[in-house]
Amino acid sequence: MNLDTLANIVLIVLLVGWLGYRQTTWRPVEQSRLWRTPLILAVLGIVNLARGDVAIGGLDVAVLVIEVVLALGVGAWMGALAHFRPLDRPVTGRRGESAVVESRTGWWGLALWAALLLVRIGVDVAATAMGAHAVTGAGVILMVFAANRAARNAVLAARLGHLPVAGARRPGAAAR
């Protein structure tokens, strides 16, 4: 096991733990913060790919496109599964924007996310056996996670526009 493989394992374990925790806990939804995580992950992924010394071939690009499309689909599905509930009182973020609802994707969202990870590992094993090596790097992992988060948050943002404001529902009641 080389240092790059060890770094990828650590990165995956940290992302799985962090995103798994966030899937199952209620979190205030601030529209302005929805795009922060996908943007950070995408930038880190692109920088990591650009700094890598592995040549990117046609098979690498094809596998990356397949993984990103899969991540977008699963992310959109996770956004559709998310539950909303009104906050007892608005939560104001650092930038002054208030959140009036909170959301969580729950265990089904976590299961979808775990399925995406397993499929990604399977695709990586198959792609590596066929000669694609750039897709196994941390940069691609970060870009796939960014695509998943972006699709999930896009669906959440679209659904937020159709929700009644906080207080219109009975406190503690979850909304779909």
Side-chain angles (χ1 to χ4, degrees):
M1 179 180 306
N2 62 24
L3 191 58
D4 192 40
T5 303
L6 185 61
N8 287 342
I9 291 170
V10 169
L11 176 67
I12 289 172
V13 168
L14 289 175
L15 281 172
V16 166
W18 179 61
L19 291 176
Y21 170 75
R22 292 177 64 96
Q23 295 293 321
T24 56
T25 56
W26 290 100
R27 308 202 46 91
V29 180
E30 295 177 43
Q31 291 259 2
S32 64
R33 295 184 65 182
L34 285 176
W35 302 106
R36 188 174 62 183
T37 299
L39 184 62
I40 291 170
L41 291 174
V43 168
L44 290 175
I46 291 169
V47 168
N48 190 294
L49 273 178
R51 293 179 59 186
D53 57 353
V54 178
I56 299 174
L59 183 58
D60 292 303
V61 173
V63 172
L64 176 61
V65 168
I66 290 169
E67 288 186 355
V68 167
V69 168
L70 181 65
L72 290 171
V74 170
W77 192 358
M78 292 167 76
L81 284 175
H83 296 269
F84 294 99
R85 72 179 182 188
L87 289 165
D88 293 335
R89 60 189 148 152
V91 174
T92 303
R94 284 184 235 150
R95 295 185 179 182
E97 183 177 342
S98 294
V100 293
V101 295
E102 57 187 354
S103 173
R104 74 175 179 182
T105 307
W107 293 105
W108 283 111
L110 183 60
L112 280 174
W113 202 74
L116 174 65
L117 290 176
L118 292 175
V119 169
R120 193 202 179 295
I121 290 169
V123 168
D124 276 4
V125 169
T128 302
M130 292 188 294
H133 297 291
V135 295
T136 60
V140 173
I141 293 170
L142 291 169
M143 290 179 63
V144 168
F145 286 151
N148 176 267
R149 299 287 86 192
R152 176 190 171 270
N153 293 345
V155 172
L156 279 182
R159 291 182 59 204
L160 277 173
H162 300 293
L163 287 178
V165 295
R169 294 177 190 256
R170 139 178 84 81
R176 287 237 3 129

